[in-house]
Amino acid sequence: MTKYLLSFLIALQCSLNVISLKAQETKHLIAGTVIDSLTNKPGEFFTIALKNDSAVLKSTISDQQGKFSFTGIRSGKYTLVIGSIGYQSRQIVSNLKGDVNLGTINMSASGNKLDEVAITGSKPLIKQEPDRITYDIQADPESKVMSVMDMMRKVPLLSVDADDNVKLKGTGNYRILINGKPSGILTRDPKEYLKSMPAAGVQKIEVITTPPSKYESEGLAGIINIMTSRKVENGYNGNLNFRQQFPGGPSGNMNVTVKHNKLGVNLYGGTGIWKVDGIKLTDNRNSRGTAVPSSLNSLGFQKIDNKWAWGGGEVSYEIDSLNLVTVEINPYGGHNQQDLNNRFVITDGDLRTTYDMDSRTRYEWGGTDYTFNFQKGFKNKKEHLLTFSYKFFDSSEPQLNDVMFNNRVNFTGPDYKQDNISKSKEQTAQIDYINPFKKLIFEAGAKAILRNGQSDFKFLNFNQSQNDYLIDPAQSNRYSNDQNIYGIYNTYTLKLKDWTMKAGARLEGTYVTGNFESTNSTVKSDYFNLIPSVSVNRTLKNSQSISLGFTQRIQRPAIWDLNPFVDKSRPNFETFGNPNLEATLSNNFELTYSNFKKGSVNLSLSYNFANNTQQQVFEYIESLNLTRITSYNIGKNKMLGTNANFTYPLTDKWNMNVSANLNHLWLEGVINGVNTKNSGITGYANLNTSYKFEKQWKASLSYNYGAPDVLLQGKSNYYYFIGLSGSKDIIKDKLTFSAMVANPFQQFRTFRSYSEGVNFTQEQTRDNPFRRVTLGLNWKFGKLQGAIKKSERSITNDDTKKASN
């Protein structure tokens, strides 16, 4: 691997030498001096970017006297963009024919607006706000060829493990939103969708670590918000993206926007196929300390066929300058079919049992989201808003398991099928009010969420005498779950000269009822929570800032965590939900230091703790030679973590970003009367570098490393990722071709999970496809003038736990 990396760096250096030896042309200078308009003092450490059309050519930082300059600039029309923390950005157009000195440039403070800091000197990749970090996907050249999941490997605070599970600060307890709203396509298992979704259709990814009180209190670690909507203008424009991945398959997406006077229409959609074969799976379980020793060993190969499609349409109409109506519809659907051929060898004392298993598991999903927003403005100031929103969500997620056995030795179990028809509906109504004063912003709102989930699961055994599958009533049931949540919130933001302070609270009442039809039994749980949220940001000298935040978060069990359906797609293993699960409350503290000069440094220290946490538990039933897997509220969790992010433009065209996360976890829980503890260090490290060549060529290199996960009953293995990509504008800013090779030195990567209990040890492995090649083509079309107005507030239901992977 060292040889390949060395070759890449040599080629890159040669390219730089060729560029520097080009014949000299007549070139000019642009200079100026930045001044604070209020104090008339020099503006030190302001970021100045030189743009030609939509591309950033060079960037620099003003010195202690506020002076800056660009040399070696060809004649032409350019735009200078000037900005810094706490100041309104400014653009200056210059038609350069000779050396130009712009003289004094006055910069005004940003007033009541919350500060947003651009981290990179060219088009910013990363932005830091008091309560979140934003990664600009469109500013990254690799977005043309990578999937959304691949891009998440680059986002600070996020990591992706060897089994493609996304982690936020090393944990899976978070909430994913699309455009600030929940989406049914991400409800159950988001990783299949994220690793197939082209990143070209995404604008940015927000990681909200200290969510303010306007957000629901769910998601122990925070919120991941994927923004796909774009600011659009009069006329029309669009984007088409096509990707072909080997192995995998084709995928693509489109976005078309039309704006005419007060009416704006946005249509978007995507589809794709992901097929892989030859995935090796193993299970090895051994009893320990039992009267009769037993073991289970299996070896199998899996084939996956995944197809999906999603779409949507949004209509925005400005009734007048103060009143706005938006309506949005989002249908989606798809399936994931897994065909598995397994060989089992089971020993129980002197008895040896063997058989071959052929199974087919098919997961389907489909549904539609409907959203309506009405926004009323006030004449006194444009930020003074009152918003009414309503959302209806309807989805279905059927699952079919078809299991057959062959070549049996000492095995008499029948072939069987499992049919689980799962449906859910959700209605949300909310009102939000915001009123900014001179230094204070007041926010308040109320929300009601009404959820209903249903599961009709049937177990059918094959009856040889009747040559048919017959329902087993003892293993079949109908389950329904109603979860109603009512909340109100109030938030205040105080903006002083060097201070930004946010404080608020959210009061939530939750009412949960579960019904079992076959047993005529009911499970109820009602609780109230007052959730505080506080964050303070202090702006220091020399483009530095420090932030301190505290919030509480809730993890509510979702419908699939509560659903008692027993998944028996793997013999000798049973996975099911627990209808008795309760919500978990977490306390989160975070301290962040940022330094934004030519490069940037972002350092954070966090600590959180929670009791009664939801933990997945493995239990070995010796008498049945069976492992049961479900979740219980038994855990006590503590985590002390640190995160670092460093970005630096090595040259005007060469940029580098390094990020790392290190966490120490302490886990504790009582399993079958035995106090179980585990602790350890986990985290990740990412290195990303990109270079812009002449004639619209771009190249990027990524390397990611992840330490093993720490679990209550075990751990996983480490993982890494290498990606090398390049892109070329065939038609400038219109048609782009891109290519990527990932992990070229290894075809498969083994994901290993180890767990243990008082009477067993168990190890599972899965060889996921690792090496892949992706080709992409992206076309932008249309021209726009003037912006579509969109509702400032909409429904963001982030109050249920992300799917377990």
Side-chain angles (χ1 to χ4, degrees):
M1 184 176 73
T2 303
K3 178 178 69 176
Y4 290 97
L5 293 177
L6 182 60
S7 300
F8 170 77
L9 294 175
I10 291 173
L12 185 59
Q13 184 63 50
C14 291
S15 300
L16 292 172
N17 292 339
V18 170
I19 294 170
S20 65
L21 293 175
K22 295 184 83 173
Q24 296 294 318
E25 301 177 22
T26 302
K27 298 181 180 180
H28 312 293
L29 173 143
I30 301 178
T33 303
V34 179
I35 298 294
D36 186 310
S37 63
L38 181 63
T39 64
N40 288 322
K41 293 182 179 180
E44 184 182 5
F45 297 120
F46 276 72
T47 298
I48 301 95
L50 181 68
K51 298 177 63 177
N52 182 1
D53 296 327
S54 60
V56 175
L57 302 179
K58 292 186 176 183
S59 64
T60 188
I61 301 295
S62 58
D63 62 18
Q64 293 181 349
Q65 285 76 44
K67 296 181 179 181
F68 69 91
S69 64
F70 294 103
T71 59
I73 309 301
R74 297 183 180 90
S75 299
K77 187 176 182 180
Y78 298 92
T79 301
L80 272 77
V81 182
I82 307 170
S84 185
I85 300 173
Y87 290 84
Q88 297 179 12
S89 63
R90 183 172 177 181
Q91 297 188 16
I92 300 175
V93 178
S94 175
N95 192 0
L96 189 64
K97 296 180 180 179
D99 292 348
V100 172
N101 191 324
L102 299 173
T104 299
I105 302 171
N106 292 311
M107 299 296 295
S108 302
S110 58
N112 288 336
K113 295 182 180 179
L114 295 180
D115 295 329
E116 185 179 84
V117 182
I119 290 182
T120 59
S122 59
K123 187 176 181 182
L125 280 175
I126 302 168
K127 295 180 181 179
Q128 172 76 53
E129 298 179 66
D131 56 2
R132 72 193 65 191
I133 288 178
T134 301
Y135 192 92
D136 189 339
I137 298 296
Q138 292 302 308
D140 192 322
E142 288 193 309
S143 65
K144 303 295 190 303
V145 66
M146 280 189 166
S147 69
V148 174
M149 178 166 287
D150 288 331
M151 295 304 297
M152 282 182 165
R153 302 177 194 273
K154 297 184 171 191
V155 179
L157 303 179
L158 299 186
S159 59
V160 182
D161 69 16
D163 201 32
D164 292 331
N165 298 314
V166 178
K167 302 294 180 65
L168 171 52
K169 294 197 292 188
T171 178
N173 293 324
Y174 56 84
R175 180 68 168 162
I176 295 183
L177 305 176
I178 294 182
N179 296 327
K181 295 170 282 189
S183 175
I185 200 168
L186 294 175
T187 301
R188 182 58 193 268
D189 191 359
K191 68 180 181 181
E192 297 294 340
Y193 174 72
L194 293 175
K195 69 184 179 183
S196 306
M197 181 182 181
V202 174
Q203 283 292 96
K204 61 184 178 180
I205 297 176
E206 295 179 331
V207 181
I208 307 173
T209 55
T210 310
S213 297
K214 70 177 181 179
Y215 289 99
E216 272 67 49
S217 53
E218 175 60 27
L220 297 188
I223 298 169
I224 301 173
N225 187 22
I226 302 172
M227 301 296 294
T228 62
S229 58
R230 303 176 180 225
K231 187 177 180 181
V232 293
E233 306 179 345
N234 251 343
Y236 76 96
N237 76 347
N239 181 82
L240 290 174
N241 178 267
F242 174 80
R243 295 168 66 246
Q244 176 67 49
Q245 181 171 293
F246 307 94
S251 62
N253 64 336
M254 57 79 68
N255 186 302
V256 177
T257 301
V258 179
K259 171 94 166 47
H260 181 68
N261 297 328
K262 297 182 178 182
L263 180 66
V265 179
N266 182 221
L267 302 175
Y268 47 88
T271 185
I273 299 172
W274 192 72
K275 292 184 178 182
V276 292
D277 201 354
I279 300 175
K280 180 182 175 182
L281 303 173
T282 68
D283 273 304
N284 297 284
R285 184 187 65 203
N286 294 282
S287 65
R288 66 180 182 184
T290 58
V292 179
S294 65
S295 66
L296 179 147
N297 298 278
S298 72
L299 171 63
F301 293 89
Q302 188 180 59
K303 176 182 178 181
I304 295 179
D305 181 3
N306 188 6
K307 295 183 177 69
W308 74 95
W310 55 274
E314 182 179 16
V315 178
S316 176
Y317 181 72
E318 299 177 47
I319 301 173
D320 53 39
S321 62
L322 299 177
N323 297 287
L324 173 70
V325 174
T326 59
V327 178
E328 188 172 5
I329 301 176
N330 303 105
Y332 62 91
H335 76 259
N336 180 291
Q337 183 165 311
Q338 303 175 7
D339 297 330
L340 176 63
N341 303 111
N342 242 15
R343 174 68 174 173
F344 281 83
V345 178
I346 302 171
T347 62
D348 192 2
D350 296 329
L351 180 64
R352 177 183 171 89
T353 301
T354 62
Y355 57 85
D356 293 333
M357 182 195 75
D358 295 325
S359 70
R360 183 182 68 175
T361 299
R362 183 180 177 91
Y363 304 93
E364 297 182 3
W365 60 87
T368 306
D369 301 348
Y370 306 88
T371 306
F372 170 83
N373 294 307
F374 172 71
Q375 177 178 290
K376 178 176 178 55
F378 297 87
K379 292 183 178 181
N380 57 344
K381 41 197 166 185
K382 67 177 184 179
E383 296 89 357
H384 188 188
L385 299 171
L386 180 64
T387 305
F388 300 89
S389 302
Y390 174 79
K391 183 181 182 69
F392 177 73
F393 173 96
D394 187 6
S395 69
S396 63
E397 297 177 346
Q399 175 183 341
L400 175 65
N401 300 329
D402 190 351
V403 181
M404 296 177 290
F405 302 99
N406 299 293
N407 302 319
R408 307 167 183 237
V409 176
N410 295 323
F411 181 73
T412 59
D415 297 344
Y416 60 87
K417 293 182 179 181
Q418 289 184 286
D419 188 6
N420 177 33
I421 301 175
S422 179
K423 298 180 180 180
S424 61
K425 294 182 180 181
E426 178 178 293
Q427 296 185 79
T428 305
Q430 76 177 52
I431 180 172
D432 296 287
Y433 176 76
I434 178 171
N435 190 0
F437 299 94
K438 186 174 181 180
K439 295 183 178 181
L440 183 70
I441 300 176
F442 171 83
E443 297 179 68
K447 172 183 276 190
I449 306 174
L450 308 179
R451 294 192 177 104
N452 173 260
Q454 298 180 0
S455 178
D456 183 358
F457 49 93
K458 299 181 178 65
F459 191 96
L460 301 93
N461 285 313
F462 183 71
N463 188 296
Q464 289 186 340
S465 62
Q466 299 187 34
N467 194 31
D468 196 6
Y469 286 89
L470 304 180
I471 294 178
D472 182 356
Q475 301 187 72
S476 304
N477 204 341
R478 287 186 179 180
Y479 172 76
S480 65
N481 177 277
D482 292 310
Q483 186 183 78
N484 298 331
I485 303 164
Y486 306 94
I488 57 174
Y489 75 90
N490 187 201
T491 300
Y492 298 88
T493 303
L494 179 63
K495 183 69 174 69
L496 303 176
K497 180 179 178 181
D498 296 321
W499 293 86
T500 300
M501 290 167 278
K502 287 185 177 182
R506 186 178 192 91
L507 178 63
E508 293 183 348
T510 305
Y511 305 86
V512 182
T513 302
N515 296 297
F516 299 86
E517 182 176 303
S518 62
T519 58
N520 195 27
S521 57
T522 300
V523 177
K524 287 189 175 183
S525 177
D526 301 337
Y527 49 90
F528 285 86
N529 297 102
L530 180 62
I531 308 298
S533 178
V534 180
S535 63
V536 179
N537 179 269
R538 172 72 160 92
T539 301
L540 308 174
K541 295 181 179 180
N542 300 328
S543 300
Q544 301 177 88
S545 67
I546 187 169
S547 301
L548 178 65
F550 166 75
T551 186
Q552 288 184 330
R553 305 296 293 163
I554 292 178
Q555 176 187 315
R556 292 190 183 94
I559 179 64
W560 52 85
D561 297 313
L562 301 167
N563 190 345
F565 164 67
V566 181
D567 185 347
K568 297 184 178 181
S569 56
R570 291 191 303 156
N572 300 95
F573 295 89
E574 295 181 355
T575 305
F576 53 94
N578 179 3
N580 295 305
L581 287 175
E582 299 176 352
T584 300
L585 184 65
S586 173
N587 300 275
N588 302 275
F589 303 84
E590 185 166 40
L591 176 66
T592 302
Y593 166 80
S594 300
N595 189 326
F596 309 105
K597 293 186 180 180
K598 182 177 181 180
S600 68
V601 176
N602 185 277
L603 305 173
S604 66
L605 180 68
S606 61
Y607 176 73
N608 67 68
F609 65 92
N611 297 321
N612 200 39
T613 58
Q614 182 178 321
Q615 298 288 341
Q616 188 178 63
V617 174
F618 294 77
E619 296 179 88
Y620 174 60
I621 312 301
E622 180 183 356
S623 60
L624 301 175
N625 203 4
L626 174 72
T627 297
R628 286 178 174 161
I629 307 167
T630 190
S631 297
Y632 298 100
N633 290 109
I634 61 169
K636 293 183 179 180
N637 296 10
K638 293 186 293 183
M639 184 177 75
L640 178 64
T642 181
N643 187 83
N645 183 271
F646 172 74
T647 300
Y648 190 80
L650 300 173
T651 69
D652 292 338
K653 298 182 178 182
W654 191 357
N655 189 64
M656 181 181 68
N657 173 260
V658 179
S659 62
N661 173 265
L662 190 66
N663 298 318
H664 194 292
L665 297 174
W666 294 268
L667 306 175
E668 183 177 354
V670 178
I671 302 175
N672 291 329
V674 178
N675 192 38
T676 303
K677 294 183 179 181
N678 198 8
S679 63
I681 295 177
T682 185
Y684 65 86
N686 300 330
L687 169 65
N688 302 287
T689 182
S690 61
Y691 188 85
K692 297 180 181 180
F693 296 90
E694 297 292 334
K695 299 181 180 180
Q696 288 80 50
W697 278 100
K698 300 173 184 177
S700 299
L701 175 68
S702 301
Y703 179 81
N704 314 112
Y705 170 83
D709 289 331
V710 178
L711 310 172
L712 180 60
Q713 290 182 278
K715 63 179 182 179
S716 65
N717 60 329
Y718 77 94
Y719 58 93
Y720 70 91
F721 175 90
I722 300 174
L724 179 63
S725 68
S727 65
K728 173 71 168 69
D729 282 358
I730 301 173
I731 302 176
K732 186 178 179 182
D733 297 327
K734 294 291 184 181
L735 184 63
T736 303
F737 172 78
S738 52
M740 182 190 74
V741 58
N743 312 304
F745 315 110
Q746 190 173 348
Q747 183 178 3
F748 291 94
R749 172 66 178 164
T750 301
F751 174 74
R752 193 180 310 274
S753 177
Y754 174 81
S755 58
E756 63 180 3
V758 292
N759 62 345
F760 78 98
T761 62
Q762 179 178 307
E763 184 180 68
Q764 295 177 298
T765 67
R766 176 186 177 90
D767 287 357
N768 292 314
F770 200 47
R771 181 193 303 135
R772 64 179 183 267
V773 176
T774 306
L775 304 176
L777 199 62
N778 191 75
W779 178 42
K780 297 180 181 179
F781 58 90
K783 189 174 182 180
L784 303 146
Q785 306 167 355
I788 280 186
K789 189 176 180 182
K790 292 195 174 185
S791 176
E792 296 292 330
R793 295 297 178 92
S794 62
I795 288 174
T796 54
N797 289 352
D798 54 335
D799 66 301
T800 56
K801 181 179 179 291
K802 178 198 68 70
S804 301
N805 292 313

